[in-house]
Amino acid sequence: MTKTDEVKRVAQDIKLMRIRGAGKIARAAAEALLTTAQQSKAKSSLSLMKEVETAAKLLLDTRPTAVSLQNSIRRIVNETRIANNRNIKVEKMRQCIVETSTKFIQDSLSAIERIGVIGAGRIEDDDLIMTHCNSATATKVLSTAFANGKHFKVFASETRPRLQGRITAKTLSNLGIPTSLIVDSAIRFFMTKMNKVIVGADAVASNGAVVNKIGTSLMALAAHEARVPFFVTAETYKFSPETVLGQLVKIEERDSSEIILEKELLKMPNVSVRNPAFDVTPPEYIDLIITEKGIIPPQAAIMIIQEEFGSITAEKLEY
Ligand code: RUB
């Protein structure tokens, strides 16, 4: 397989959700850029940079809401450009891309571990905890707490239309964590019994709003009404620098076939399907965001962005 085929395959896997979950998507993109550099036959650093930029473009177009994907690609492309400006030889640039990608992947995996440890401290014996969709970081908090000997039960919402909640339920079940699988419309019914909610994030905006799987904001609303603490787990590379400049996180809308078969839809000529994959939970409904750098109130999101990206300018975010 050529390197272009490999990048196309990864892009397709992300688009079709064979690779899914914001962290995994970002690591897969970093891995694809690493492979691009390793397999490149470019004779100059300029042509290697161009190859990386072409691959980056292909990967970026796959899932617009995952800010983790944009941030991982930006980090690697920016380092490549800096290397190019230093007029270094192609071999040195290749090494730089491999090192930056590898570091991103390692940092991402250790961030999840760290969030697991920090978040587990917030779980108490006999807790009833609700979660939505399938988040590696939220699951890590639960598995770490369980491994530490905490006894609690999880309510996992099914998460229509792609049913990622079943993946969560299966993972928790395999770990031995007692789990109830519920339909999304039962979220409010059970919420009054819960001690906390823990969900993941695809993006965190500078005002502390969290973008996550469609239905998260309804869960947050139900939690707010029932006075149940609402926790979000998010690695710092999910924080969106663009939102500092007033840009909104783009919400991906997916195909109608995820909701209804095309032949069924054809029988309803006046019906169109809307299928947004994510929604926005306002900071007022979020108690804490658990990052690898510690726990913050949503209002402190801007500080994380400043720490990660420095002062934000439009040029800096170009790639
Ligand atoms: C997955 C989803 C997850 C976040 C965080 O959506 O919304 O909650 O991506 O996941 P999809 P993680 O299934 O459409 O990718 O903590 O694993 O990064």
Side-chain angles (χ1 to χ4, degrees):
M1 203 184 268
T2 68
K3 64 179 185 313
T4 320
D5 288 344
E6 174 62 8
V7 173
K8 277 191 186 147
R9 182 192 64 76
V10 174
Q12 195 66 355
D13 281 353
I14 295 175
K15 219 176 200 141
L16 298 176
M17 292 173 62
R18 288 192 284 256
I19 299 172
R20 49 148 301 280
K24 224 180 229 164
I25 292 171
R27 290 192 297 279
E31 185 84 49
L33 294 182
L34 185 153
T35 311
T36 303
Q38 274 177 337
Q39 296 182 356
S40 169
K41 300 208 166 29
K43 297 270 180 294
S44 72
S45 47
L46 184 67
S47 40
L48 176 55
M49 184 182 79
K50 294 244 171 305
E51 282 180 22
V52 167
E53 284 177 342
T54 307
K57 170 96 192 52
L58 208 73
L59 293 160
L60 270 177
D61 285 342
T62 52
R63 297 208 69 190
T65 308
V67 162
S68 54
L69 177 68
Q70 293 151 28
N71 283 340
S72 95
I73 290 175
R74 177 185 295 121
R75 196 177 295 185
I76 297 160
V77 171
N78 279 350
E79 283 300 321
T80 312
R81 285 180 179 167
I82 292 167
N84 185 53
N85 289 343
R86 288 204 315 264
N87 281 325
I88 60 171
K89 295 245 171 355
V90 64
E91 270 320 310
K92 221 74 205 107
M93 180 182 274
R94 192 191 321 274
Q95 193 187 334
C96 164
I97 298 164
V98 169
E99 279 170 12
T100 311
S101 313
T102 307
K103 178 147 178 26
F104 177 83
I105 294 167
Q106 284 167 352
D107 286 353
S108 163
L109 293 172
S110 49
I112 297 169
E113 287 293 324
R114 185 82 200 114
I115 288 172
V117 172
I118 298 172
R122 294 290 170 140
I123 294 182
E124 284 156 44
D125 272 332
D126 300 324
D127 267 355
L128 294 181
I129 305 167
M130 194 177 277
T131 189
H132 189 51
C133 193
N134 177 248
S135 152
T137 44
T139 306
K140 194 71 189 174
V141 168
L142 299 169
S143 63
T144 309
F146 191 70
N148 290 349
K150 299 267 173 74
H151 295 282
F152 55 89
K153 286 189 182 149
V154 177
F155 280 63
S157 52
E158 202 174 22
T159 317
R160 276 274 289 160
R162 298 291 296 245
L163 306 174
Q164 294 94 325
R166 291 191 193 174
I167 306 174
T168 303
K170 193 169 174 201
T171 306
L172 297 177
S173 165
N174 288 341
L175 290 168
I177 301 175
T179 304
S180 297
L181 181 66
I182 61 169
V183 294
D184 300 333
S185 35
I187 287 171
R188 187 165 177 261
F189 181 85
F190 287 110
M191 188 56 82
T192 50
K193 313 266 188 305
M194 297 297 123
N195 300 99
K196 52 193 61 109
V197 175
I198 305 179
V199 297
D202 273 77
V204 182
S206 59
N207 68 346
V210 165
V211 184
N212 192 48
K213 179 55 53 193
I214 191 77
T216 303
S217 69
L218 268 178
M219 191 177 270
L221 197 62
H224 187 72
E225 180 199 34
R227 295 173 181 266
V228 174
F230 191 90
F231 298 168
V232 175
T233 55
E235 307 90 304
T236 50
Y237 56 78
K238 291 177 179 168
F239 285 62
S240 164
E242 280 84 357
T243 56
V244 176
L245 301 178
Q247 280 185 41
L248 300 177
V249 175
K250 202 167 168 214
I251 301 293
E252 174 187 5
E253 185 143 357
R254 295 185 64 86
D255 200 74
S256 63
S257 60
E258 289 188 343
I259 293 183
I260 185 167
L261 290 173
E262 203 182 333
K263 63 173 193 217
E264 293 300 324
L265 188 59
L266 285 172
K267 293 180 198 155
M268 304 179 237
N270 293 317
V271 172
S272 63
V273 170
R274 298 294 309 271
N275 184 19
F278 300 95
D279 63 20
V280 183
T281 301
E284 296 79 25
Y285 296 160
I286 299 165
D287 290 274
L288 297 171
I289 302 179
I290 305 168
T291 80
E292 74 276 18
K293 299 214 163 140
I295 295 182
I296 58 160
Q299 292 73 17
I302 183 78
M303 287 162 72
I304 294 277
I305 296 178
Q306 278 162 350
E307 206 177 295
E308 288 294 298
F309 301 93
S311 58
I312 311 290
T313 59
E315 300 82 62
K316 209 167 173 182
L317 299 178
E318 231 176 57
Y319 56 94

